[in-house]
Tab-separated table of all heavy atoms in Angstrom:
chain	number	residue	atom	x	y	z
P	1	LEU	N	117.219	114.729	106.639
P	1	LEU	CA	118.233	115.223	107.577
P	1	LEU	C	117.548	115.541	108.893
P	1	LEU	O	116.660	116.404	108.958
P	1	LEU	CB	118.909	116.486	107.033
P	1	LEU	CG	119.842	117.233	108.011
P	1	LEU	CD1	121.040	116.353	108.378
P	1	LEU	CD2	120.299	118.559	107.419
P	2	GLY	N	117.907	114.829	109.960
P	2	GLY	CA	117.315	115.074	111.271
P	2	GLY	C	117.751	116.407	111.848
P	2	GLY	O	118.911	116.808	111.701
P	3	THR	N	116.829	117.099	112.523
P	3	THR	CA	117.137	118.429	113.079
P	3	THR	C	116.745	118.575	114.534
P	3	THR	O	117.009	119.617	115.140
P	3	THR	CB	116.411	119.526	112.275
P	3	THR	OG1	114.990	119.282	112.311
P	3	THR	CG2	116.884	119.558	110.832
P	4	GLU	N	116.106	117.567	115.125
P	4	GLU	CA	115.546	117.743	116.466
P	4	GLU	C	116.105	116.687	117.431
P	4	GLU	O	116.213	115.497	117.095
P	4	GLU	CB	114.021	117.632	116.429
P	4	GLU	CG	113.361	118.601	115.468
P	4	GLU	CD	112.683	119.756	116.160
P	4	GLU	OE1	112.600	119.736	117.401
P	4	GLU	OE2	112.235	120.684	115.464
P	5	ASP	N	116.464	117.136	118.646
P	5	ASP	CA	116.835	116.257	119.749
P	5	ASP	C	117.879	115.213	119.317
P	5	ASP	O	118.842	115.550	118.651
P	5	ASP	CB	115.581	115.574	120.324
P	5	ASP	CG	114.544	116.585	120.781
P	5	ASP	OD1	114.959	117.686	121.200
P	5	ASP	OD2	113.351	116.298	120.703
P	6	TYR	N	117.659	113.942	119.682
P	6	TYR	CA	118.670	112.929	119.399
P	6	TYR	C	118.799	112.627	117.903
P	6	TYR	O	119.777	112.046	117.455
P	6	TYR	CB	118.374	111.642	120.168
P	6	TYR	CG	117.087	110.947	119.754
P	6	TYR	CD1	117.021	110.174	118.595
P	6	TYR	CD2	115.945	111.061	120.539
P	6	TYR	CE1	115.851	109.539	118.222
P	6	TYR	CE2	114.771	110.421	120.173
P	6	TYR	CZ	114.730	109.664	119.014
P	6	TYR	OH	113.578	109.043	118.658
P	7	GLY	N	117.807	113.030	117.088
P	7	GLY	CA	117.878	112.788	115.652
P	7	GLY	C	118.694	113.821	114.895
P	7	GLY	O	118.951	113.661	113.698
P	8	LYS	N	119.126	114.869	115.611
P	8	LYS	CA	119.821	115.967	114.945
P	8	LYS	C	121.098	115.465	114.278
P	8	LYS	O	121.959	114.836	114.903
P	8	LYS	CB	120.141	117.067	115.948
P	8	LYS	CG	120.624	118.365	115.319
P	8	LYS	CD	120.716	119.468	116.360
P	8	LYS	CE	121.105	120.793	115.712
P	8	LYS	NZ	121.160	121.888	116.712
P	9	GLY	N	121.233	115.759	112.990
P	9	GLY	CA	122.420	115.380	112.241
P	9	GLY	C	122.335	114.025	111.569
P	9	GLY	O	123.162	113.712	110.703
P	10	ASP	N	121.357	113.196	111.935
P	10	ASP	CA	121.191	111.903	111.277
P	10	ASP	C	120.684	112.110	109.853
P	10	ASP	O	119.987	113.087	109.556
P	10	ASP	CB	120.196	111.030	112.044
P	10	ASP	CG	120.755	110.539	113.370
P	10	ASP	OD1	121.976	110.665	113.564
P	10	ASP	OD2	119.968	110.049	114.194
P	11	THR	N	121.016	111.188	108.959
P	11	THR	CA	120.574	111.285	107.571
P	11	THR	C	120.091	109.932	107.079
P	11	THR	O	120.438	108.880	107.635
P	11	THR	CB	121.708	111.775	106.647
P	11	THR	OG1	122.783	110.833	106.692
P	11	THR	CG2	122.204	113.146	107.076
P	12	ALA	N	119.299	109.962	106.024
P	12	ALA	CA	118.862	108.748	105.353
P	12	ALA	C	118.596	109.090	103.894
P	12	ALA	O	118.165	110.205	103.578
P	12	ALA	CB	117.614	108.174	106.004
P	13	LEU	N	118.858	108.138	103.015
P	13	LEU	CA	118.708	108.374	101.581
P	13	LEU	C	118.188	107.108	100.918
P	13	LEU	O	118.744	106.022	101.098
P	13	LEU	CB	120.052	108.760	100.959
P	13	LEU	CG	120.093	108.970	99.449
P	13	LEU	CD1	119.247	110.182	99.068
P	13	LEU	CD2	121.529	109.149	98.981
P	14	CYS	N	117.090	107.231	100.172
P	14	CYS	CA	116.536	106.116	99.418
P	14	CYS	C	116.137	106.618	98.035
P	14	CYS	O	115.843	107.800	97.856
P	14	CYS	CB	115.311	105.529	100.114
P	14	CYS	SG	115.659	104.752	101.700
P	15	GLU	N	116.113	105.699	97.058
P	15	GLU	CA	115.698	106.095	95.721
P	15	GLU	C	115.036	104.923	95.030
P	15	GLU	O	115.140	103.770	95.464
P	15	GLU	CB	116.884	106.580	94.900
P	15	GLU	CG	117.909	105.516	94.572
P	15	GLU	CD	119.021	106.046	93.688
P	15	GLU	OE1	119.099	107.264	93.496
P	15	GLU	OE2	119.809	105.212	93.197
P	16	GLY	N	114.356	105.237	93.954
P	16	GLY	CA	113.707	104.190	93.179
P	16	GLY	C	112.989	104.770	91.995
P	16	GLY	O	112.803	105.992	91.887
P	17	PRO	N	112.527	103.931	91.099
P	17	PRO	CA	111.791	104.395	89.924
P	17	PRO	C	110.336	104.705	90.257
P	17	PRO	O	109.743	104.079	91.140
P	17	PRO	CB	111.897	103.206	88.968
P	17	PRO	CG	111.986	102.019	89.876
P	17	PRO	CD	112.773	102.480	91.068
P	18	MET	N	109.770	105.706	89.573
P	18	MET	CA	108.366	106.060	89.726
P	18	MET	C	107.574	105.478	88.558
P	18	MET	O	108.006	105.563	87.403
P	18	MET	CB	108.178	107.580	89.733
P	18	MET	CG	108.813	108.303	90.883
P	18	MET	SD	108.397	110.078	90.875
P	18	MET	CE	109.222	110.625	89.370
P	19	VAL	N	106.414	104.912	88.872
P	19	VAL	CA	105.523	104.430	87.814
P	19	VAL	C	104.112	104.901	88.125
P	19	VAL	O	103.737	105.083	89.298
P	19	VAL	CB	105.560	102.888	87.694
P	19	VAL	CG1	106.932	102.420	87.250
P	19	VAL	CG2	105.151	102.230	89.002
P	20	LEU	N	103.336	105.100	87.092
P	20	LEU	CA	101.955	105.523	87.250
P	20	LEU	C	101.068	104.287	87.288
P	20	LEU	O	101.102	103.438	86.382
P	20	LEU	CB	101.554	106.428	86.085
P	20	LEU	CG	100.236	107.191	86.238
P	20	LEU	CD1	100.314	108.149	87.423
P	20	LEU	CD2	99.919	107.951	84.955
P	21	VAL	N	100.283	104.147	88.360
P	21	VAL	CA	99.366	103.025	88.529
P	21	VAL	C	97.971	103.599	88.721
P	21	VAL	O	97.695	104.246	89.738
P	21	VAL	CB	99.755	102.143	89.730
P	21	VAL	CG1	98.774	100.983	89.858
P	21	VAL	CG2	101.174	101.633	89.588
P	22	ASP	N	97.106	103.370	87.755
P	22	ASP	CA	95.762	103.961	87.800
P	22	ASP	C	95.893	105.477	87.963
P	22	ASP	O	96.468	106.136	87.111
P	22	ASP	CB	94.935	103.330	88.923
P	22	ASP	CG	94.690	101.850	88.683
P	22	ASP	OD1	94.598	101.449	87.511
P	22	ASP	OD2	94.605	101.102	89.682
P	23	ASP	N	95.404	106.012	89.107
P	23	ASP	CA	95.440	107.466	89.297
P	23	ASP	C	96.439	107.892	90.367
P	23	ASP	O	96.323	108.963	90.947
P	23	ASP	CB	94.052	107.992	89.659
P	23	ASP	CG	93.519	107.389	90.955
P	23	ASP	OD1	94.123	106.404	91.439
P	23	ASP	OD2	92.509	107.903	91.487
P	24	TYR	N	97.439	107.060	90.646
P	24	TYR	CA	98.434	107.430	91.637
P	24	TYR	C	99.831	107.023	91.175
P	24	TYR	O	100.003	106.265	90.206
P	24	TYR	CB	98.121	106.811	92.998
P	24	TYR	CG	98.140	105.303	93.043
P	24	TYR	CD1	99.316	104.594	93.287
P	24	TYR	CD2	96.965	104.575	92.855
P	24	TYR	CE1	99.335	103.211	93.333
P	24	TYR	CE2	96.973	103.187	92.897
P	24	TYR	CZ	98.152	102.510	93.135
P	24	TYR	OH	98.171	101.147	93.179
P	25	VAL	N	100.835	107.547	91.911
P	25	VAL	CA	102.231	107.288	91.602
P	25	VAL	C	102.767	106.277	92.597
P	25	VAL	O	102.540	106.406	93.807
P	25	VAL	CB	103.063	108.586	91.668
P	25	VAL	CG1	104.542	108.299	91.428
P	25	VAL	CG2	102.543	109.593	90.660
P	26	SER	N	103.493	105.287	92.130
P	26	SER	CA	104.066	104.262	93.000
P	26	SER	C	105.581	104.250	92.843
P	26	SER	O	106.101	104.338	91.727
P	26	SER	CB	103.497	102.884	92.655
P	26	SER	OG	104.069	101.882	93.468
P	27	ILE	N	106.282	104.174	93.983
P	27	ILE	CA	107.742	104.085	93.991
P	27	ILE	C	108.138	102.847	94.780
P	27	ILE	O	107.678	102.658	95.912
P	27	ILE	CB	108.401	105.313	94.641
P	27	ILE	CG1	107.938	106.601	93.970
P	27	ILE	CG2	109.911	105.203	94.593
P	27	ILE	CD1	106.924	107.337	94.792
P	28	THR	N	108.987	102.002	94.220
P	28	THR	CA	109.560	100.877	94.950
P	28	THR	C	111.029	101.182	95.189
P	28	THR	O	111.809	101.331	94.243
P	28	THR	CB	109.410	99.564	94.170
P	28	THR	OG1	108.024	99.313	93.938
P	28	THR	CG2	110.010	98.406	94.963
P	29	PHE	N	111.416	101.306	96.462
P	29	PHE	CA	112.746	101.806	96.812
P	29	PHE	C	113.816	100.723	96.742
P	29	PHE	O	113.552	99.532	96.911
P	29	PHE	CB	112.734	102.393	98.227
P	29	PHE	CG	111.960	103.669	98.336
P	29	PHE	CD1	110.742	103.695	98.990
P	29	PHE	CD2	112.448	104.848	97.790
P	29	PHE	CE1	110.025	104.867	99.107
P	29	PHE	CE2	111.742	106.025	97.895
P	29	PHE	CZ	110.521	106.042	98.549
P	30	THR	N	115.040	101.196	96.529
P	30	THR	CA	116.226	100.367	96.682
P	30	THR	C	117.002	100.889	97.881
P	30	THR	O	116.801	102.020	98.319
P	30	THR	CB	117.106	100.431	95.427
P	30	THR	OG1	117.474	101.788	95.174
P	30	THR	CG2	116.372	99.877	94.221
P	31	THR	N	117.897	100.076	98.434
P	31	THR	CA	118.651	100.463	99.624
P	31	THR	C	119.749	101.447	99.269
P	31	THR	O	120.476	101.250	98.309
P	31	THR	CB	119.270	99.233	100.297
P	31	THR	OG1	118.229	98.323	100.620
P	31	THR	CG2	119.999	99.625	101.575
P	32	ARG	N	119.887	102.494	100.041
P	32	ARG	CA	120.989	103.427	99.846
P	32	ARG	C	121.717	103.627	101.165
P	32	ARG	O	122.456	102.773	101.605
P	32	ARG	CB	120.484	104.771	99.276
P	32	ARG	CG	120.164	104.681	97.780
P	32	ARG	CD	121.398	104.377	96.936
P	32	ARG	NE	122.407	105.395	97.048
P	32	ARG	CZ	122.462	106.490	96.302
P	32	ARG	NH1	121.557	106.690	95.371
P	32	ARG	NH2	123.423	107.380	96.463
P	33	ASP	N	121.452	104.705	101.857
P	33	ASP	CA	122.279	105.061	103.015
P	33	ASP	C	121.410	105.412	104.208
P	33	ASP	O	120.526	106.258	104.096
P	33	ASP	CB	123.171	106.252	102.649
P	33	ASP	CG	124.030	106.704	103.830
P	33	ASP	OD1	124.555	105.841	104.544
P	33	ASP	OD2	124.143	107.924	104.024
């Protein structure tokens, strides 16, 4: 949720599954809003 200057009020939403790869977490997103 944007809060500053011209970005105030703008929003974005993404989601995806989390998987463990070696010693880190990887997320591949799908399109939302």
Side-chain angles (χ1 to χ4, degrees):
L1 171 64
T3 58
E4 304 255 353
D5 303 329
Y6 65 78
K8 191 171 184 178
D10 289 347
T11 61
L13 177 66
C14 294
E15 67 177 10
M18 296 185 294
V19 295
L20 192 62
V21 180
D22 296 329
D23 61 348
Y24 63 87
V25 177
S26 179
I27 305 103
T28 301
F29 290 108
T30 58
T31 302
R32 283 296 299 273
D33 178 41

